[in-house]
Structures are given as structure tokens and as C-alpha cells.
Amino acid sequence: MNKYSSKAVKTAATVGMSLAMVLSNAAPVFAEKVTTNYATDGICKEVKVITGSGDGSDTDGKADCGTLVYVEIMGKLDGTKFSTLTIDSDLKVADKNGKKVTLLVAIAKYAEELKAFAATDGLGYTEKANINTWVSTVKALEDYLGTGALEKGEYQAPSSLDTVLKNVYNMNGEGGTDWSVIDKNNYVAAKEALEKLKTFKKDYGKYIGIVSNDEYAANDLATDVMDAFTTLNNNINEYLGVTADSDLSDFVLAFDAILQNDLDEKATDLKKAVSNDKDAKKIWVVLGLDTEDSKLTPETIKLNDKNSIKKRIDLIKNHDNYDRFKDEDSVIAILDTYQELIDNIGANSDVLKSDAYNDYIKTKVSNVKKNNKVTLKNFLNDIKTDNALDTAAKKAEALADMLNSEQWEILKAAKEDVMDSIYTMETRKVGNYYVDKSDFTSNSTNSQQNTFKTTFPEFLYTLVDKEEGKFGYDVVAEHMEKVEGALKAVTTDIAKITPANIKASDKAALEAAEDAIYELEKGDYSDNLTKDEGKTVRTASTKIENLREAFDNLGTTNVAGWYDMGNGNWGYNNEDGTPAAYKWVASGSDWYMIKDGKMLRNTWLATDGGRWYYLDNAGKMVMNQSVDGCWINSYGVYMSPSYNG
């Protein structure tokens, strides 16, 4: 049986491997067998290759070796993260020849053995995952740098890095690949190589000591990778910088001219110059078309047609200079505009599947007036006025008079999420009147427009007031906002007022609540309430009556002057009963400060000129004593250093 050192067994236990698992990889002992050493030196020197073992099974020792290598590496890591290892690491183990090598080199040397161990039946997920990460990382490093690069400390041929370095320094001889000067013939290949190098540097550069473009280890591999990256990147940038200003200007001006015409669904005259400059190029020339009579495909686009818009995007991206200028803000802005047109079409198609649309056509809500339930779509289409031929304005007013808050929330959501996406209600003022400039949105399809017409009643989007520029929907919205304000006046606005604490300053809120309760119970808003709101209004009506009685009983003594607010607080009203805004009030020999109708207490008061006063718990101005370490004189003033009075 293989002999495992006590250290190896202990290490195996610390990384989650049981002794039974370690020993299970050892070959059993039979009377008839042939054994040889798996390795003459290194980690696996005690592993035996056993053949003719008597039970008909053989073992080549590879998995046994992988077991020991895994245990040895985990022991060396001892909590150190594998991702922090570099080729310059001090953590080393013995290779198959007994030579001390870094862990990355050891993984490369023992890759097959580690994979054999990973394939062992019953091995845990963690061990398999560790081995997969180690082996795949080392493979990626040597795939790019060349086999043996990690051990030798320098890139090997053939390899990707070897190819890049030979190309950028034109070391391939006459007729070979030359990237020392980039032009339109080699740009694409050089750019692909640079992207591959960037990816390698980003994903695996840390293992050879690369931290950033300006910080990397002083070893040959890191230096060669950064040399290849810097040189190739500079060569490409030099090419992209040649005539970049004029080429970029032509590129942007040509495609921006096309975009502006596309937004108006007009054809672009390709024979026009991109600017007014004397030597400005024609648009067809910038686009690389064959003749001045060439046409765009399509000549015009429809803003509700994704395919035609996508062809414009393709026209830009297929241009010879696109790759040079794709990161320019002006180019990105043009593409973003086209993409936004496509997104808007997608958004429009989605609105007819939205919750707001489904609520409008499917959700049944209470119709208090008829004591039934009906969808809002049917409710609106069933609007009846005194005359079947009444105008859109009359129908809007009729809807406003009977719509409740539950129905209003559904209509408002449908307007904002659905109607506005398909139809734009706009006006333009001409003289003293407004004219209707409404239309379907440019990216709405014929199908969406037809659905809009059959779903939403025309009076909602008809201009019903030419003097104020109101549509039918606006009439409804204004009315429902007033209903909402009235409900707020009889609930939230008087929630904290009770008959016990009502005061003269509550007069305005009480009167507003009285006006609102009349409209809600008997006036213009009486048919706009849900059943629950009706109950709320009845409760509020009783409260308002009680508040009015308490207010009227305040009497003249509390209408003006001091009144007790409770908890040691006092209020002070002017002679007309309104709260005093800001004034000193004398009572005997004491002075009190009133702010917003209430006496100040336990606070410092600063006045212009740097004078400070202190008001005690009873609200009296303090005199001839120290407060917070500040002496207050007989006039009640603490004179600060900035005092100038």
C-alpha cells in the first residue's frame, strides 16, 4: 500500500478530504503483482504502478499521484487564494524530477495526474472545482504564451504572443505579415489580435504579474505581453488618427443629414454636400456609393417600421470607417436615435398588452349610480346625455359628473400608459383661440391606431374648449382633481383638529371643509363617490358639525390675545383673531416672544445686529443670569462679540 506521510494525511483532512478517501486511492495488496515506481523523484516518488494484481485490475498510478499533488498544493496554499498566485510566487513544490517549482508550473507539469484524480468516483464537488480552475487557468496561460512558458519564464514559439510580437516588429521577412504600420488592409486582423490580447491580459494577466497598463512585474513574460499590447495599440491608434478629423466630420455630417430627413420620413438628396465648405464631399461619396444617382435602400423609412430603421443602422455599421469612429459620441448619438425609434415601436406594441390597457377593457368596477359593475370601456361608451346628438363637451361633462375615484384611476392610467403612446393631444394658439394639432404618434402602427379608435370614445380626445385649449379628457381631469381636493379637505386637512383643541387659527380649514362637504353630499361631487368614500363623507360630516359648534363656542376671550394650547404651551392671536406672526408681548414686567401664533419656550432667540435672548420653560425672557455659560444682562441680552447695537 502507498505510504502517505502524516503531513499529507493531516493536510488532506484540512481541505475536506477524509483519510478514507485518500487511502481509497491506494492500490490493494495481493500476493501476485508487479510494482514499479511511478516517479523516481518529486511528490509522487512513493506512488507505485501496480500490474498483475491478482484481482484482474491494474492501476497506472496516475490518480494516486494526482491525489498527492492536490494535497501538497492545498497544503502550500494554506488559505491563500489561488487567484492571487503569480509566476514569481514563493510557494513551491517538487516536480517529477524533484526540482522546486512554483505552483503554477507544478499544475502544468502534473495536469494529467490532477485530472485523473478529479475523475475519481466519489470525489467531492469542491475538489473537482478547484482542479478544474487550476488546470484551465494554466492551460489558458500556456495557450497564449506557449507551452513551457511558465517554467522557462519567457514566451515560446509557436504561440499567439509570439505571432503578435513578430507581426508588430515586422520580423516575418519579405511578404510576411507586417503590423508595424497599420492600414485598411491589415486593420481588421490587427484589431482582432489586439482584442484577444486585451482579453488575455484582463483574465489572466494577474498570474504573470500584470496589475494595470502602468503597473506590472519586472519579469520577461509580463514585459513581453505589455510590450506587444502597447506597440500594437499605438500602431492602430496611429492609423485611426490619420485624417481622423476630416473623415469623422464627413461621416457624422452625412449620416446626420440622413437621420434628420428620416425623422421627417423624407428622402435624402445624396447629391448634396455634407457642408457649405468649398471642398465639402457629396453625401453619396462619403457613403462609398457607386454613382451620384445611387439610392438608399429604402429611400425613406417609416417611423413605425422596424425593418426600415434597422437598415439605416446597418448602413452605418457596414461603412468602411465605422470601426474607426464607433466610439465617438456623435456616432453613438446617431445610432441611439435610431435605436430609440425601434424601442418606441416595441413599447407601443406592449401598451396594448399592459396592465393599464387590460384594466380599462376587462376590470369591472362599481357603478354606484346604477348599482352594478361594468368595465370602464363599456362605462365610457355608454355615456348618455339629454340629447343623443350632444357635443363632445357635453359628453365629457356628463362623464365627469358620474365618474368615481376607482374608475378615474383606471382611466388616468390608460391615458398615460396607452393613449399617450399612440395618440398625441396637442394644440397651437392662433390669435385668441386654440386649434387642434393632435395626431397619431409617428411610431404607432395602423393596427394600433384602429384599436385606439374602437377602444377610446372620441369625446376624450376632441378639442372641446377652443378658448382654453381643453380636450374632453382635460374636462374630466379637472373635475376629478376637485373631487380629490374636496375629499382631502374633509379628511386629511382636519384630521388633527378636534372639538377639544380647535382654535381661532383653524377657521380657514374648517370653512374649506364645510364648503367641500356640501359639494360631496349635495353638490357637484355627490355622484363621484364610491361606497367607501360615501361612508367616509358621512363620518366627516358629523365631525365637521361638531367642530363648527366647538369653534363657535370659543367666545370672544379666545378670539384675540392669549389662549391655552395645553401641555404648558400658549398661543396668542391678534385683535382680529389671526395668529400673531412675530412679536414681543409684555405681561406685567415679563416679556414673551410669539412666533406663528405660538409662545416660544426653552430656546435662544437671535435678532439682527448680533443680540441674543433666552426664553425659559415658561416662555419668559431671562434677565440677570447665566444660561449655557453665557451671561445675560438686565435687558435680557447676551452680547456676542459681533454685537454692534
Side-chain angles (χ1 to χ4, degrees), residues 246-271:
S246 60
D247 286 353
L248 175 60
S249 177
D250 290 341
F251 185 92
V252 171
L253 289 173
F255 282 110
D256 186 63
I258 295 172
L259 171 62
Q260 298 309 316
N261 286 314
D262 283 344
L263 292 175
D264 292 330
E265 297 188 347
K266 296 178 181 178
T268 301
D269 183 358
L270 302 183
K271 296 179 183 179

PDB file of all heavy atoms in Angstrom, residues 246-271:
ATOM      1  N   SER A 246     -11.117  65.096 -40.451  1.00  0.00           N
ATOM      2  CA  SER A 246     -11.927  65.334 -41.645  1.00  0.00           C
ATOM      3  C   SER A 246     -12.807  64.132 -41.965  1.00  0.00           C
ATOM      4  O   SER A 246     -13.976  64.287 -42.340  1.00  0.00           O
ATOM      5  CB  SER A 246     -11.024  65.656 -42.843  1.00  0.00           C
ATOM      6  OG  SER A 246     -10.137  64.578 -43.113  1.00  0.00           O
ATOM      7  N   ASP A 247     -12.266  62.922 -41.813  1.00  0.00           N
ATOM      8  CA  ASP A 247     -13.057  61.723 -42.093  1.00  0.00           C
ATOM      9  C   ASP A 247     -14.227  61.596 -41.125  1.00  0.00           C
ATOM     10  O   ASP A 247     -15.346  61.250 -41.520  1.00  0.00           O
ATOM     11  CB  ASP A 247     -12.183  60.466 -41.996  1.00  0.00           C
ATOM     12  CG  ASP A 247     -11.246  60.330 -43.183  1.00  0.00           C
ATOM     13  OD1 ASP A 247     -11.378  61.126 -44.124  1.00  0.00           O
ATOM     14  OD2 ASP A 247     -10.388  59.422 -43.157  1.00  0.00           O
ATOM     15  N   LEU A 248     -13.978  61.857 -39.840  1.00  0.00           N
ATOM     16  CA  LEU A 248     -15.040  61.784 -38.844  1.00  0.00           C
ATOM     17  C   LEU A 248     -16.113  62.835 -39.124  1.00  0.00           C
ATOM     18  O   LEU A 248     -17.309  62.558 -39.039  1.00  0.00           O
ATOM     19  CB  LEU A 248     -14.472  61.980 -37.439  1.00  0.00           C
ATOM     20  CG  LEU A 248     -15.494  62.051 -36.296  1.00  0.00           C
ATOM     21  CD1 LEU A 248     -16.301  60.760 -36.219  1.00  0.00           C
ATOM     22  CD2 LEU A 248     -14.792  62.328 -34.973  1.00  0.00           C
ATOM     23  N   SER A 249     -15.676  64.041 -39.455  1.00  0.00           N
ATOM     24  CA  SER A 249     -16.621  65.110 -39.750  1.00  0.00           C
ATOM     25  C   SER A 249     -17.525  64.742 -40.918  1.00  0.00           C
ATOM     26  O   SER A 249     -18.750  64.896 -40.850  1.00  0.00           O
ATOM     27  CB  SER A 249     -15.866  66.408 -40.053  1.00  0.00           C
ATOM     28  OG  SER A 249     -16.761  67.430 -40.412  1.00  0.00           O
ATOM     29  N   ASP A 250     -16.936  64.225 -41.989  1.00  0.00           N
ATOM     30  CA  ASP A 250     -17.724  63.808 -43.156  1.00  0.00           C
ATOM     31  C   ASP A 250     -18.698  62.691 -42.786  1.00  0.00           C
ATOM     32  O   ASP A 250     -19.862  62.697 -43.190  1.00  0.00           O
ATOM     33  CB  ASP A 250     -16.797  63.341 -44.284  1.00  0.00           C
ATOM     34  CG  ASP A 250     -16.013  64.482 -44.914  1.00  0.00           C
ATOM     35  OD1 ASP A 250     -16.428  65.644 -44.737  1.00  0.00           O
ATOM     36  OD2 ASP A 250     -14.990  64.214 -45.564  1.00  0.00           O
ATOM     37  N   PHE A 251     -18.208  61.727 -42.026  1.00  0.00           N
ATOM     38  CA  PHE A 251     -19.010  60.575 -41.615  1.00  0.00           C
ATOM     39  C   PHE A 251     -20.232  61.036 -40.823  1.00  0.00           C
ATOM     40  O   PHE A 251     -21.372  60.655 -41.113  1.00  0.00           O
ATOM     41  CB  PHE A 251     -18.138  59.640 -40.770  1.00  0.00           C
ATOM     42  CG  PHE A 251     -18.787  58.358 -40.364  1.00  0.00           C
ATOM     43  CD1 PHE A 251     -18.660  57.220 -41.138  1.00  0.00           C
ATOM     44  CD2 PHE A 251     -19.521  58.258 -39.190  1.00  0.00           C
ATOM     45  CE1 PHE A 251     -19.243  56.017 -40.757  1.00  0.00           C
ATOM     46  CE2 PHE A 251     -20.113  57.079 -38.793  1.00  0.00           C
ATOM     47  CZ  PHE A 251     -19.972  55.948 -39.586  1.00  0.00           C
ATOM     48  N   VAL A 252     -20.007  61.881 -39.823  1.00  0.00           N
ATOM     49  CA  VAL A 252     -21.094  62.335 -38.959  1.00  0.00           C
ATOM     50  C   VAL A 252     -22.071  63.225 -39.719  1.00  0.00           C
ATOM     51  O   VAL A 252     -23.298  63.059 -39.614  1.00  0.00           O
ATOM     52  CB  VAL A 252     -20.529  63.085 -37.735  1.00  0.00           C
ATOM     53  CG1 VAL A 252     -21.654  63.745 -36.943  1.00  0.00           C
ATOM     54  CG2 VAL A 252     -19.745  62.133 -36.849  1.00  0.00           C
ATOM     55  N   LEU A 253     -21.556  64.172 -40.504  1.00  0.00           N
ATOM     56  CA  LEU A 253     -22.432  65.093 -41.233  1.00  0.00           C
ATOM     57  C   LEU A 253     -23.313  64.357 -42.238  1.00  0.00           C
ATOM     58  O   LEU A 253     -24.497  64.674 -42.395  1.00  0.00           O
ATOM     59  CB  LEU A 253     -21.589  66.154 -41.949  1.00  0.00           C
ATOM     60  CG  LEU A 253     -20.917  67.195 -41.043  1.00  0.00           C
ATOM     61  CD1 LEU A 253     -19.983  68.073 -41.850  1.00  0.00           C
ATOM     62  CD2 LEU A 253     -21.964  68.048 -40.339  1.00  0.00           C
ATOM     63  N   ALA A 254     -22.749  63.356 -42.918  1.00  0.00           N
ATOM     64  CA  ALA A 254     -23.522  62.605 -43.910  1.00  0.00           C
ATOM     65  C   ALA A 254     -24.657  61.825 -43.250  1.00  0.00           C
ATOM     66  O   ALA A 254     -25.821  61.900 -43.680  1.00  0.00           O
ATOM     67  CB  ALA A 254     -22.602  61.664 -44.678  1.00  0.00           C
ATOM     68  N   PHE A 255     -24.334  61.092 -42.199  1.00  0.00           N
ATOM     69  CA  PHE A 255     -25.359  60.266 -41.566  1.00  0.00           C
ATOM     70  C   PHE A 255     -26.338  61.099 -40.737  1.00  0.00           C
ATOM     71  O   PHE A 255     -27.506  60.710 -40.573  1.00  0.00           O
ATOM     72  CB  PHE A 255     -24.720  59.170 -40.719  1.00  0.00           C
ATOM     73  CG  PHE A 255     -24.210  58.024 -41.539  1.00  0.00           C
ATOM     74  CD1 PHE A 255     -22.846  57.810 -41.679  1.00  0.00           C
ATOM     75  CD2 PHE A 255     -25.084  57.181 -42.202  1.00  0.00           C
ATOM     76  CE1 PHE A 255     -22.372  56.758 -42.450  1.00  0.00           C
ATOM     77  CE2 PHE A 255     -24.622  56.132 -42.975  1.00  0.00           C
ATOM     78  CZ  PHE A 255     -23.259  55.918 -43.106  1.00  0.00           C
ATOM     79  N   ASP A 256     -25.893  62.246 -40.242  1.00  0.00           N
ATOM     80  CA  ASP A 256     -26.822  63.111 -39.521  1.00  0.00           C
ATOM     81  C   ASP A 256     -27.840  63.727 -40.490  1.00  0.00           C
ATOM     82  O   ASP A 256     -29.017  63.877 -40.143  1.00  0.00           O
ATOM     83  CB  ASP A 256     -26.069  64.224 -38.793  1.00  0.00           C
ATOM     84  CG  ASP A 256     -26.982  65.053 -37.909  1.00  0.00           C
ATOM     85  OD1 ASP A 256     -27.550  64.485 -36.964  1.00  0.00           O
ATOM     86  OD2 ASP A 256     -27.132  66.256 -38.184  1.00  0.00           O
ATOM     87  N   ALA A 257     -27.397  64.071 -41.704  1.00  0.00           N
ATOM     88  CA  ALA A 257     -28.316  64.596 -42.716  1.00  0.00           C
ATOM     89  C   ALA A 257     -29.380  63.555 -43.062  1.00  0.00           C
ATOM     90  O   ALA A 257     -30.572  63.869 -43.197  1.00  0.00           O
ATOM     91  CB  ALA A 257     -27.545  65.007 -43.964  1.00  0.00           C
ATOM     92  N   ILE A 258     -28.955  62.305 -43.195  1.00  0.00           N
ATOM     93  CA  ILE A 258     -29.902  61.220 -43.481  1.00  0.00           C
ATOM     94  C   ILE A 258     -30.877  61.057 -42.314  1.00  0.00           C
ATOM     95  O   ILE A 258     -32.081  60.900 -42.504  1.00  0.00           O
ATOM     96  CB  ILE A 258     -29.145  59.907 -43.753  1.00  0.00           C
ATOM     97  CG1 ILE A 258     -28.299  60.032 -45.020  1.00  0.00           C
ATOM     98  CG2 ILE A 258     -30.112  58.734 -43.875  1.00  0.00           C
ATOM     99  CD1 ILE A 258     -27.363  58.864 -45.261  1.00  0.00           C
ATOM    100  N   LEU A 259     -30.355  61.105 -41.075  1.00  0.00           N
ATOM    101  CA  LEU A 259     -31.195  60.942 -39.885  1.00  0.00           C
ATOM    102  C   LEU A 259     -32.268  62.028 -39.817  1.00  0.00           C
ATOM    103  O   LEU A 259     -33.441  61.726 -39.547  1.00  0.00           O
ATOM    104  CB  LEU A 259     -30.327  60.985 -38.626  1.00  0.00           C
ATOM    105  CG  LEU A 259     -31.074  61.035 -37.288  1.00  0.00           C
ATOM    106  CD1 LEU A 259     -31.929  59.789 -37.094  1.00  0.00           C
ATOM    107  CD2 LEU A 259     -30.097  61.198 -36.128  1.00  0.00           C
ATOM    108  N   GLN A 260     -31.882  63.281 -40.046  1.00  0.00           N
ATOM    109  CA  GLN A 260     -32.849  64.373 -39.948  1.00  0.00           C
ATOM    110  C   GLN A 260     -33.983  64.205 -40.948  1.00  0.00           C
ATOM    111  O   GLN A 260     -35.148  64.461 -40.636  1.00  0.00           O
ATOM    112  CB  GLN A 260     -32.150  65.728 -40.149  1.00  0.00           C
ATOM    113  CG  GLN A 260     -31.093  66.058 -39.105  1.00  0.00           C
ATOM    114  CD  GLN A 260     -31.602  65.893 -37.681  1.00  0.00           C
ATOM    115  OE1 GLN A 260     -32.709  66.315 -37.348  1.00  0.00           O
ATOM    116  NE2 GLN A 260     -30.787  65.273 -36.828  1.00  0.00           N
ATOM    117  N   ASN A 261     -33.654  63.756 -42.160  1.00  0.00           N
ATOM    118  CA  ASN A 261     -34.697  63.501 -43.158  1.00  0.00           C
ATOM    119  C   ASN A 261     -35.542  62.294 -42.769  1.00  0.00           C
ATOM    120  O   ASN A 261     -36.761  62.278 -42.976  1.00  0.00           O
ATOM    121  CB  ASN A 261     -34.075  63.291 -44.538  1.00  0.00           C
ATOM    122  CG  ASN A 261     -33.577  64.594 -45.149  1.00  0.00           C
ATOM    123  OD1 ASN A 261     -34.274  65.601 -45.118  1.00  0.00           O
ATOM    124  ND2 ASN A 261     -32.366  64.591 -45.693  1.00  0.00           N
ATOM    125  N   ASP A 262     -34.896  61.280 -42.212  1.00  0.00           N
ATOM    126  CA  ASP A 262     -35.626  60.081 -41.783  1.00  0.00           C
ATOM    127  C   ASP A 262     -36.651  60.417 -40.706  1.00  0.00           C
ATOM    128  O   ASP A 262     -37.756  59.854 -40.683  1.00  0.00           O
ATOM    129  CB  ASP A 262     -34.648  59.024 -41.259  1.00  0.00           C
ATOM    130  CG  ASP A 262     -33.926  58.291 -42.377  1.00  0.00           C
ATOM    131  OD1 ASP A 262     -34.382  58.378 -43.532  1.00  0.00           O
ATOM    132  OD2 ASP A 262     -32.909  57.633 -42.093  1.00  0.00           O
ATOM    133  N   LEU A 263     -36.303  61.316 -39.799  1.00  0.00           N
ATOM    134  CA  LEU A 263     -37.229  61.684 -38.728  1.00  0.00           C
ATOM    135  C   LEU A 263     -38.482  62.366 -39.273  1.00  0.00           C
ATOM    136  O   LEU A 263     -39.538  62.336 -38.644  1.00  0.00           O
ATOM    137  CB  LEU A 263     -36.530  62.599 -37.713  1.00  0.00           C
ATOM    138  CG  LEU A 263     -35.414  61.943 -36.879  1.00  0.00           C
ATOM    139  CD1 LEU A 263     -34.716  62.968 -36.018  1.00  0.00           C
ATOM    140  CD2 LEU A 263     -35.967  60.809 -36.015  1.00  0.00           C
ATOM    141  N   ASP A 264     -38.336  62.991 -40.451  1.00  0.00           N
ATOM    142  CA  ASP A 264     -39.493  63.608 -41.113  1.00  0.00           C
ATOM    143  C   ASP A 264     -40.080  62.691 -42.185  1.00  0.00           C
ATOM    144  O   ASP A 264     -40.963  63.113 -42.950  1.00  0.00           O
ATOM    145  CB  ASP A 264     -39.078  64.939 -41.755  1.00  0.00           C
ATOM    146  CG  ASP A 264     -38.726  65.988 -40.716  1.00  0.00           C
ATOM    147  OD1 ASP A 264     -39.310  65.941 -39.615  1.00  0.00           O
ATOM    148  OD2 ASP A 264     -37.868  66.851 -40.991  1.00  0.00           O
ATOM    149  N   GLU A 265     -39.542  61.460 -42.252  1.00  0.00           N
ATOM    150  CA  GLU A 265     -39.969  60.472 -43.252  1.00  0.00           C
ATOM    151  C   GLU A 265     -39.815  61.021 -44.669  1.00  0.00           C
ATOM    152  O   GLU A 265     -40.655  60.812 -45.545  1.00  0.00           O
ATOM    153  CB  GLU A 265     -41.408  60.014 -42.978  1.00  0.00           C
ATOM    154  CG  GLU A 265     -41.561  59.293 -41.649  1.00  0.00           C
ATOM    155  CD  GLU A 265     -42.932  58.663 -41.453  1.00  0.00           C
ATOM    156  OE1 GLU A 265     -43.848  58.991 -42.227  1.00  0.00           O
ATOM    157  OE2 GLU A 265     -43.076  57.822 -40.549  1.00  0.00           O
ATOM    158  N   LYS A 266     -38.696  61.729 -44.896  1.00  0.00           N
ATOM    159  CA  LYS A 266     -38.383  62.288 -46.208  1.00  0.00           C
ATOM    160  C   LYS A 266     -37.155  61.597 -46.791  1.00  0.00           C
ATOM    161  O   LYS A 266     -36.309  61.078 -46.052  1.00  0.00           O
ATOM    162  CB  LYS A 266     -38.112  63.788 -46.101  1.00  0.00           C
ATOM    163  CG  LYS A 266     -39.291  64.619 -45.653  1.00  0.00           C
ATOM    164  CD  LYS A 266     -38.893  66.079 -45.548  1.00  0.00           C
ATOM    165  CE  LYS A 266     -40.058  66.950 -45.081  1.00  0.00           C
ATOM    166  NZ  LYS A 266     -39.657  68.379 -44.935  1.00  0.00           N
ATOM    167  N   ALA A 267     -37.040  61.629 -48.132  1.00  0.00           N
ATOM    168  CA  ALA A 267     -35.865  61.071 -48.809  1.00  0.00           C
ATOM    169  C   ALA A 267     -34.709  62.059 -48.694  1.00  0.00           C
ATOM    170  O   ALA A 267     -34.913  63.275 -48.587  1.00  0.00           O
ATOM    171  CB  ALA A 267     -36.181  60.788 -50.271  1.00  0.00           C
ATOM    172  N   THR A 268     -33.485  61.542 -48.719  1.00  0.00           N
ATOM    173  CA  THR A 268     -32.290  62.381 -48.648  1.00  0.00           C
ATOM    174  C   THR A 268     -31.699  62.558 -50.041  1.00  0.00           C
ATOM    175  O   THR A 268     -31.520  61.579 -50.774  1.00  0.00           O
ATOM    176  CB  THR A 268     -31.232  61.750 -47.727  1.00  0.00           C
ATOM    177  OG1 THR A 268     -31.782  61.592 -46.420  1.00  0.00           O
ATOM    178  CG2 THR A 268     -29.991  62.622 -47.637  1.00  0.00           C
ATOM    179  N   ASP A 269     -31.405  63.813 -50.394  1.00  0.00           N
ATOM    180  CA  ASP A 269     -30.744  64.100 -51.668  1.00  0.00           C
ATOM    181  C   ASP A 269     -29.264  63.799 -51.511  1.00  0.00           C
ATOM    182  O   ASP A 269     -28.521  64.577 -50.900  1.00  0.00           O
ATOM    183  CB  ASP A 269     -30.960  65.564 -52.037  1.00  0.00           C
ATOM    184  CG  ASP A 269     -30.362  65.910 -53.405  1.00  0.00           C
ATOM    185  OD1 ASP A 269     -29.747  65.002 -54.032  1.00  0.00           O
ATOM    186  OD2 ASP A 269     -30.504  67.063 -53.830  1.00  0.00           O
ATOM    187  N   LEU A 270     -28.814  62.671 -52.046  1.00  0.00           N
ATOM    188  CA  LEU A 270     -27.430  62.230 -51.864  1.00  0.00           C
ATOM    189  C   LEU A 270     -26.439  63.071 -52.654  1.00  0.00           C
ATOM    190  O   LEU A 270     -25.227  62.967 -52.440  1.00  0.00           O
ATOM    191  CB  LEU A 270     -27.299  60.758 -52.255  1.00  0.00           C
ATOM    192  CG  LEU A 270     -28.204  59.778 -51.494  1.00  0.00           C
ATOM    193  CD1 LEU A 270     -27.922  58.347 -51.937  1.00  0.00           C
ATOM    194  CD2 LEU A 270     -28.014  59.914 -49.994  1.00  0.00           C
ATOM    195  N   LYS A 271     -26.950  63.918 -53.557  1.00  0.00           N
ATOM    196  CA  LYS A 271     -26.044  64.762 -54.353  1.00  0.00           C
ATOM    197  C   LYS A 271     -25.625  66.013 -53.589  1.00  0.00           C
ATOM    198  O   LYS A 271     -24.733  66.737 -54.025  1.00  0.00           O
ATOM    199  CB  LYS A 271     -26.738  65.172 -55.657  1.00  0.00           C
ATOM    200  CG  LYS A 271     -27.068  63.998 -56.576  1.00  0.00           C
ATOM    201  CD  LYS A 271     -27.783  64.472 -57.825  1.00  0.00           C
ATOM    202  CE  LYS A 271     -28.176  63.279 -58.711  1.00  0.00           C
ATOM    203  NZ  LYS A 271     -28.906  63.715 -59.932  1.00  0.00           N
TER     204      LYS A 271
END
